[in-house]
Amino acid sequence: MLQSLMMQMPLLISSLIEHADRHHGDSEIVSRRVEGDIHRTTYHELHRRSRRLANALAELGIDQGDRVATVAWNGYRHMELYYAVSGAGSVLHTINPRLLAEQIAWIVNHAEDRAVFFDLTFLPVIQSIAPLCKTVRHWVALADRDRMPVATMEGANGVLCYEDLISAQTDQFTWPEFDENAASSLCYTSGTTGHPKGVLYGHRSTILHTLASALPDALNLSARDVILPVVPMFHVNAWGLPYIAAMVGAKLVFPGPFLDGKSLHELLESEKVTFSAGVPTVWQSLLTYTEANNLKFSTMNRTVIGGSACPPAMIQLFQQKYGVQVLHAWGMTEMSPLGTACTFKHKHAAWSPAERAPVQSKQGRALYGVDMKIVDDDGVDLPWDGIAFGNLLVRGPWVVRDYYKSGEGSPLVDDKQNKQWFPTGDVSNIDADGYMQITDRSKDVIKSGGEWISSIEIENIAVSHPAVAMAACIAAAHPKWDERPLLVVVKKPGASVTRDDVLAHYAGKVARWQVPDDVVFVEALPLGATGKILKTKLREQFRVHRLPGA
Ligand code: ADP
């Protein structure tokens, strides 16, 4: 084969921050810090401090390939770690602080982290895990000297101060060049069953994901945007936004630990945010706040919602009342995470809003770089007709090939052409235009007398009732039908609604046999570490629930 004569330049994460510094050096990065104050910096300054940090890492004896963990909120120091650790050739291991302490210790040991950088909020959990973490040589608090904790830590030589580490170093540092397939970062899935599994991203996979995610039919980001990632930097790299923002030169706004409706609204307004990203439960609390206080968004014009299905009622409220365009997107930790985004095609311009609404509630079209298909239980391809539904499989350069040190063998499955696919665990249909719609996670599907009921569809209808804030539909055991849908509902503050009102709301929207058998009202739904409704917990809670007539 004739080789090309184009330059070979490895796709490395350091190139993103170098580009941002050179071309968007004065673009701002604004953070609400753990301390509560607002901190302002620029790409230029962040790059400088990242280089100092890279020198500090070298002095701490962190080698290329070593894992460096973070237990931190969204903020500029976390972003410096993103660039310094990966840029130097080490692996940034972002840890979800909402996991149980034992799970965090298990993850640190499994990853064999050499150093752990943490926000002061997490000092208690760090103190409790330190004696269990055998590979960690350095514990570093993301703080100024005058805020350093006096606490000592069992099993550790003491806690280092991040700002001391940085200020002791020069900013002279040249990012090393290495193989673009080298590992760059590591994120463990929440592990609702069994131990968490590590997804080890690479420089090449990250850069390709960044390029594809910024495109107009994906997140559509540019140097004219002000991005506020509510989605945490400890979960799948905040959906790639710290990389995308640097690539396009957008201003970044980090909310720190302040994720309540009031704090978010204030920050969105004061920093003139144009674009935000988060899971539906976060937006639910923001919208409850704006509704109750009769507030508007004066600059935010787009928001990407994903992580779990965005109810059409939320899409309509954002768009019609607030003028905020919703981008419904789907992805997974195993996919870096973006797989599909729901944007319109040319032909949809002529459609009425009522015709467009059902398209927009789908999870969307595959990004270039993500190949997807649906298959039945025997692995046979299903048609793209918007009706047939089956197991969703994906492949592509930013899709996981194997879990880190899992010892369980590859998760991939082969098809008849010997192509390898990652089974997502999602059940979906795909229509003739390529729009994919998730009907359920395979473990959440309700199987009633051999027929499948989509819990997402039942939930979407429930939350379109004006008195319902949140809803989850789970399978309850039934002597005749095996499983029947049970709806668990959180009412809106001050609203009054009965079981019969909710059930009457299903009339004409689904077949009679798909209507839930019962509705129970609860104060709150159990949320997992990434803000998603924990259906496993709900199923446990309502295992002995007796359905009417059962
Ligand atoms: P976990 O929840 O296990 O930590 P992820 O955060 O990687 O893992 O979640 C991936 C899963 O979240 C997907 O497989 C899918 O079930 C669900 N998901 C993500 N985005 C959407 C969406 N827009 N609509 C429905 N489900 C979604």
Side-chain angles (χ1 to χ4, degrees):
M1 191 174 284
L2 185 63
Q3 291 292 308
S4 90
L5 292 176
M6 308 309 283
M7 281 192 192
Q8 291 292 316
M9 219 175 99
L11 302 174
L12 299 177
I13 285 173
S14 53
S15 67
L16 295 171
I17 193 67
E18 283 190 314
H19 176 85
D21 180 0
R22 193 166 305 136
H23 301 278
H24 307 278
D26 62 350
S27 276
E28 271 191 306
I29 295 152
V30 180
S31 311
R32 187 171 265 164
R33 303 204 293 179
V34 172
E35 296 89 329
D37 59 346
I38 297 278
H39 174 275
R40 291 177 184 280
T41 185
T42 60
Y43 281 109
H44 176 68
E45 182 57 19
L46 191 127
H47 186 205
R48 216 163 63 85
R49 281 172 47 98
S50 302
R51 294 194 306 264
R52 286 170 176 254
L53 177 57
N55 281 322
L57 291 171
E59 199 169 294
L60 291 176
I62 310 285
D63 290 329
Q64 292 196 332
D66 281 353
R67 273 74 65 206
V68 173
T70 60
V71 185
W73 301 108
N74 290 7
Y76 66 102
R77 289 176 177 137
H78 206 169
M79 176 124 162
E80 288 161 3
L81 282 154
Y82 263 55
Y83 284 103
V85 174
S86 305
S90 314
V91 179
L92 180 86
H93 172 201
T94 51
I95 297 181
N96 187 334
R98 298 201 187 105
L99 295 173
L100 300 175
E102 310 85 80
Q103 284 175 311
I104 298 181
W106 187 91
I107 290 175
V108 169
N109 284 325
H110 188 264
E112 299 173 81
D113 293 324
R114 285 272 175 267
V116 178
F117 288 71
F118 60 95
D119 267 330
L120 286 181
T121 331
F122 305 117
L123 182 63
V125 69
I126 295 293
Q127 281 172 310
S128 72
I129 63 166
L132 308 172
C133 299
K134 302 297 175 216
T135 58
V136 177
R137 294 196 205 122
H138 309 286
W139 300 89
V140 185
L142 295 167
D144 296 318
R145 165 64 32 210
D146 59 3
R147 298 218 178 237
M148 281 300 287
V150 278
T152 53
M153 278 196 333
E154 199 190 325
N157 297 328
V159 181
L160 299 173
C161 167
Y162 183 80
E163 291 301 330
D164 281 359
L165 281 184
I166 288 206
S167 54
Q169 301 295 331
T170 95
D171 58 11
Q172 299 302 305
F173 182 89
T174 306
W175 299 112
E177 275 212 3
F178 43 79
D179 179 2
E180 63 183 16
N181 287 304
S184 58
S185 58
L186 176 63
C187 182
Y188 282 74
T189 62
S190 345
T192 35
T193 52
H195 279 309
K197 295 192 184 109
V199 180
L200 189 62
Y201 310 103
H203 285 261
R204 173 186 153 85
S205 70
T206 301
I207 298 288
L208 294 177
H209 178 265
T210 305
L211 283 165
S213 302
L215 287 172
D217 271 357
L219 305 185
N220 188 17
L221 290 166
S222 76
R224 293 162 298 288
D225 277 309
V226 180
I227 303 174
L228 187 149
V230 183
V231 52
M233 290 167 83
F234 55 72
H235 188 55
V236 220
N237 305 318
W239 295 348
L241 290 168
Y243 303 123
I244 304 167
M247 191 185 77
V248 302
K251 171 178 167 180
L252 262 173
V253 181
F254 289 127
F258 305 97
L259 303 177
D260 59 289
K262 181 170 188 289
S263 307
L264 279 180
H265 186 264
E266 273 171 18
L267 203 57
L268 289 166
E269 290 294 300
S270 62
E271 294 303 324
K272 300 192 171 33
V273 171
T274 59
F275 178 96
S276 61
V279 294
T281 45
V282 164
W283 295 137
Q284 183 54 51
S285 68
L286 176 67
L287 288 173
T288 304
Y289 175 75
T290 50
E291 290 286 276
N293 296 283
N294 214 4
L295 297 167
K296 295 261 172 288
F297 300 107
S298 40
T299 54
M300 181 162 80
N301 52 43
R302 281 127 61 225
T303 183
V304 50
I305 306 185
S308 47
C310 180
M314 184 180 279
I315 299 182
Q316 297 317 322
L317 183 63
F318 259 125
Q319 295 188 165
Q320 286 166 9
K321 179 158 180 195
Y322 292 97
V324 177
Q325 195 64 25
V326 170
L327 178 71
H328 194 193
W330 166 84
M332 306 183 73
T333 307
E334 287 88 339
M335 299 179 70
S336 305
L338 207 52
T340 63
C342 198
T343 53
F344 291 118
K345 292 186 171 182
H346 177 67
K347 66 178 177 188
H348 295 120
W351 293 21
S352 70
E355 287 170 318
R356 280 203 297 237
V359 178
Q360 232 197 334
S361 66
K362 299 188 179 198
Q363 277 70 11
R365 295 182 280 121
L367 270 56
Y368 167 78
V370 175
D371 204 0
M372 67 181 182
K373 65 175 180 174
I374 42 174
V375 297
D376 65 16
D377 286 342
D378 299 320
V380 177
D381 285 11
L382 293 168
W384 289 25
D385 58 8
I387 298 164
F389 59 91
N391 304 314
L392 179 64
L393 309 183
V394 290
R395 61 199 302 271
W398 56 84
V399 176
V400 75
R401 173 162 54 86
D402 210 344
Y403 292 105
Y404 183 55
K405 292 195 337 194
S406 80
E408 285 177 13
S410 166
L412 306 187
V413 292
D414 289 342
D415 69 6
K416 294 209 171 62
Q417 286 81 42
N418 280 331
K419 283 187 183 162
Q420 292 200 305
W421 296 81
F422 175 74
T424 62
D426 287 326
V427 178
S428 72
N429 65 58
I430 305 176
D431 69 20
D433 287 324
Y435 288 81
M436 185 274 285
Q437 179 172 31
I438 306 254
T439 51
D440 246 316
R441 278 190 146 184
S442 52
K443 47 188 184 284
D444 294 338
V445 168
I446 298 153
K447 291 175 195 122
S448 169
E451 297 287 343
W452 290 25
I453 299 175
S454 155
S455 66
I456 293 180
E457 191 179 1
I458 303 300
E459 289 156 8
N460 283 346
I461 295 171
V463 294
S464 71
H465 188 289
V468 173
M470 285 211 253
C473 184
I474 53 167
H478 190 283
K480 179 165 177 202
W481 304 110
D482 279 346
E483 291 179 358
R484 289 291 303 154
L486 166 68
L487 189 69
V488 188
V489 166
V490 179
K491 292 180 199 173
K492 283 196 180 152
S496 80
V497 59
T498 65
R499 167 186 183 276
D500 290 346
D501 295 338
V502 174
L503 293 180
H505 191 60
Y506 284 88
K509 298 191 176 86
V510 285
R512 285 253 301 277
W513 62 273
Q514 294 173 320
V515 176
D517 277 19
D518 204 1
V519 180
V520 285
F521 293 96
V522 293
E523 287 300 312
L525 291 169
L527 298 184
T530 55
K532 301 188 197 188
I533 296 169
L534 264 189
K535 291 201 176 166
T536 39
K537 195 94 173 255
L538 274 182
R539 280 192 285 264
E540 255 168 48
Q541 200 176 328
F542 291 100
R543 203 194 328 252
V544 291
H545 183 82
R546 200 177 164 82
L547 295 168

